[in-house]
Amino acid sequence: MLADLADSVPQTRHVIVLSSDGLKMAQHSTQTDTADRLAAACAGLQSLAAAVASELPSGSGKMRMLVIEMDGGFFYLMAAGAGAYLAVLANDGVDAGLMGQRMRDLVLRIGEHLNSPPRHDVHAT
C-alpha cells in the first residue's frame, strides 16, 4: 500500500510509517538507515506540532498533518492511527494537493492497522 502511494504521486522519494516514539514500522523506496533517521526526526516534529496545537483554545492539541517546504522538496507527516504516523519526503515539483489527498486516502484505508499501542516495560515491578 505504501508503494501505491509512491507510484500514484510523481516526485515521491520516501514513504515510511513510524510510531510516535520514532521507531520505523514500515518503509517503501527507502534504505533502512534513511528510514530510521527520518522516523527519529518525525518523533521530534510531531511532538513540536502537538505543543503548538495545544496553544489553540478550541483545539484538541493533536497534530493531524504537518507540511514542511524546503529547498529541493517537501516533507509531510500525518497522524495515521493510535500512536502511528505516515511520513513522506518528496522532490520539488510534487503536487502538494494530490499528496495530501493520497495520504488521507491511505490513512483511511489502513488506519486501523497503522497503530502502535504504548509500550510497557514488562520487567518493571
Side-chain angles (χ1 to χ4, degrees):
M1 290 187 206
L2 300 181
D4 290 343
L5 171 65
D7 294 342
S8 69
V9 184
Q11 303 298 326
T12 300
R13 293 184 55 86
H14 307 289
V15 181
I16 63 171
V17 177
L18 61 130
S19 65
S20 60
D21 56 357
L23 295 176
K24 174 194 65 182
M25 298 165 61
Q27 68 191 60
H28 172 73
S29 186
T30 307
Q31 293 181 351
T32 300
D33 289 345
T34 301
D36 288 340
R37 283 192 306 273
L38 287 172
C42 289
L45 289 172
Q46 64 86 18
S47 178
L48 288 170
V52 172
S54 70
E55 295 301 321
L56 295 170
S58 62
S60 67
K62 294 181 181 177
M63 187 279 295
R64 285 190 269 173
M65 184 170 191
L66 172 70
V67 180
I68 301 173
E69 181 178 4
M70 305 161 280
D71 286 342
F74 293 85
F75 174 75
Y76 301 85
L77 182 63
M78 180 178 283
Y85 295 88
L86 173 64
V88 176
L89 192 60
N91 291 331
D92 214 9
V94 68
D95 182 330
L98 180 61
M99 180 62 78
Q101 177 186 1
R102 296 287 195 244
M103 288 178 73
R104 278 189 296 277
D105 291 348
L106 177 60
V107 166
L108 288 173
R109 271 189 3 213
I110 59 173
E112 69 262 9
H113 304 290
L114 294 179
N115 66 56
S116 177
R119 296 181 209 330
H120 301 286
D121 186 356
V122 296
H123 300 294
T125 56

